[in-house]
Amino acid sequence: QVQLVESGGGLVQPGGSLRLSCAASGSIFSINYMRWYRQAPGKQRELVARIAGGGSTNYADSVKGRFTISRDNAKNTVYLQMNSLKPEDTAVYYCNADLWIVAGPGKWEDYWGQGTQVTVSS
């Protein structure tokens, strides 16, 4: 069974840091883009950052200079290092990835993790 599992969320004070991890497991042949989204209460889910298989990255304007996305292709894992956290960063953070599954339908498929809560508060 293919799945994405996030970890690393929690409660942190403003100005603090957290590192999120998302590990993909199962019969995976290849992974293309890996992304982090977030959804705050009452708001739409938004793209925070994405990283291509080759390592190129893109960020939402609201997190540029504070968040860093990276990946370890050997471990099928994506990370989100979050520094200088603000209360407005409070949200459920979701991992998303384009996966090519062994013996699958022969196309890239969109998978989501279950989400991890990040709360920034004093």
Side-chain angles (χ1 to χ4, degrees), residues 10-15 85-88 90 118-122:
L11 172 64
V12 63
Q13 292 187 341
L85 282 161
K86 305 175 181 180
E88 51 264 44
T90 296
V118 171
T119 302
V120 184
S121 175
S122 55

Side-chain angles (χ1 to χ4, degrees), residues 11-68:
L11 172 64
V12 63
Q13 292 187 341
S17 298
L18 280 176
R19 188 191 195 210
L20 305 183
S21 300
C22 171
S25 63
S27 299
I28 299 169
F29 178 76
S30 183
I31 303 177
N32 194 6
Y33 277 96
M34 302 187 84
R35 307 172 188 87
W36 286 98
Y37 285 80
R38 67 186 180 186
Q39 188 166 20
K43 295 188 176 181
Q44 289 189 329
R45 190 172 297 189
E46 63 171 349
L47 177 64
V48 175
R50 69 174 186 174
I51 183 166
S56 61
T57 58
N58 299 96
Y59 296 91
D61 288 343
S62 59
V63 307
K64 281 182 182 176
R66 301 188 298 121
F67 291 11
T68 302

